[in-house]
Amino acid sequence: MLRKALSVVQWVSLVILFIGVSIVQLQPENAQTSSEDREQRPMLGLFAVIVSCLMSGFAGVYFEKILKESKQSLWLRNVQLGFLGTVMGLITMEIKEGDRLRLNGFFHGYDAMVWLVIILQSLGGLLVAVVVKYADNILKGFAASMAIVVSCVVSIFFFDFRLSLQFTIGASLVMGSIYLYGKHVPKPLPVMTEKHKVATL
């Protein structure tokens, strides 16, 4: 869709990134699980995850295509997407929590921490659009993966998170994949001028 070629090393770095993030996110074997015994369907869950990944990847690439090929400004595109998301959110909210909203009001339970999360999410959305516009969707994925690692490191100081061998290996793979991807950027193809076109004819 974007007419972009990746080198073999970059493909390898993406696979390493996938493995590293998976290791970081995996629950350790001794983690506490729910005491309720629920029927699980692994194949259906795997299928749902694969479909979700494909749809998310397509949406990211298409979003990059729209931002880079559109004549509209970045901010106008954000307003358009934000309006669509707001309409869908209001419909979902009415379906699931309509009675509670009418009883308690829209802003019931909103405190300073909730507003802080809303502001951070909004700023994060704007930053994602800027990264996709002036870099690409793959680099956005690397940034999100690195954010997972950084948030885990910050959790060591603010929460009861202990550094494990599993996390260390996963974080090392993530950082190594970022280095590999940036180190082996393929050179852009030369642009043919009118003189070159005439010469080739």
Side-chain angles (χ1 to χ4, degrees):
M1 290 180 66
L2 299 174
R3 297 180 181 87
K4 181 177 180 180
L6 298 178
S7 66
V8 176
V9 177
Q10 286 182 314
W11 279 110
V12 171
S13 69
L14 290 174
V15 174
I16 295 174
L17 177 69
F18 164 74
I19 296 172
V21 173
S22 300
I23 292 175
V24 170
Q25 293 285 72
L26 280 176
Q27 293 286 342
E29 293 182 359
N30 59 354
Q32 294 182 352
T33 57
S34 175
S35 58
E36 299 179 2
D37 293 329
R38 299 180 180 178
E39 181 183 359
Q40 297 187 1
R41 301 169 66 182
M43 294 307 298
L44 179 61
L46 178 62
F47 176 76
V49 169
I50 292 174
V51 172
S52 175
C53 290
L54 291 175
M55 293 178 66
S56 176
F58 174 78
V61 173
Y62 188 70
F63 180 56
E64 180 181 350
K65 181 180 178 66
I66 289 177
L67 286 180
K68 290 186 174 179
E69 295 182 359
S70 174
K71 296 180 181 179
Q72 304 293 339
S73 69
L74 177 65
W75 305 109
L76 179 59
R77 286 300 183 191
N78 275 324
V79 170
Q80 291 173 340
L81 291 172
F83 176 77
L84 180 62
T86 301
V87 172
M88 295 178 64
L90 289 174
I91 294 173
T92 305
M93 186 173 58
E94 175 62 29
I95 294 173
K96 291 190 174 182
E97 302 288 341
D99 295 335
R100 291 187 179 183
L101 286 172
R102 284 185 285 274
L103 180 63
N104 300 320
F106 185 85
F107 294 104
H108 177 72
Y110 278 51
D111 56 9
M113 188 60 66
V114 174
W115 282 111
L116 178 62
V117 171
I118 292 173
I119 293 172
L120 290 176
Q121 289 286 345
S122 302
L123 292 176
L126 294 174
L127 286 175
V128 166
V130 171
V131 169
V132 172
K133 171 76 173 178
Y134 297 106
D136 60 30
N137 193 55
I138 297 177
L139 291 178
K140 185 206 77 172
F142 277 103
S145 305
M146 196 63 199
I148 294 173
V149 175
V150 172
S151 63
C152 290
V153 173
V154 172
S155 298
I156 297 174
F157 302 98
F158 292 96
F159 306 104
D160 189 20
F161 178 78
R162 296 181 180 179
L163 196 63
S164 63
L165 178 62
Q166 173 183 318
F167 173 80
T168 304
I169 294 174
S172 300
L173 288 175
V174 169
M175 290 183 285
S177 66
I178 294 173
Y179 173 79
L180 274 179
Y181 186 87
K183 189 73 175 177
H184 295 85
V185 177
K187 295 181 180 179
L189 296 174
V191 179
M192 292 185 68
T193 62
E194 293 297 327
K195 293 182 179 179
H196 288 126
K197 291 179 181 178
V198 172
T200 54
L201 292 175

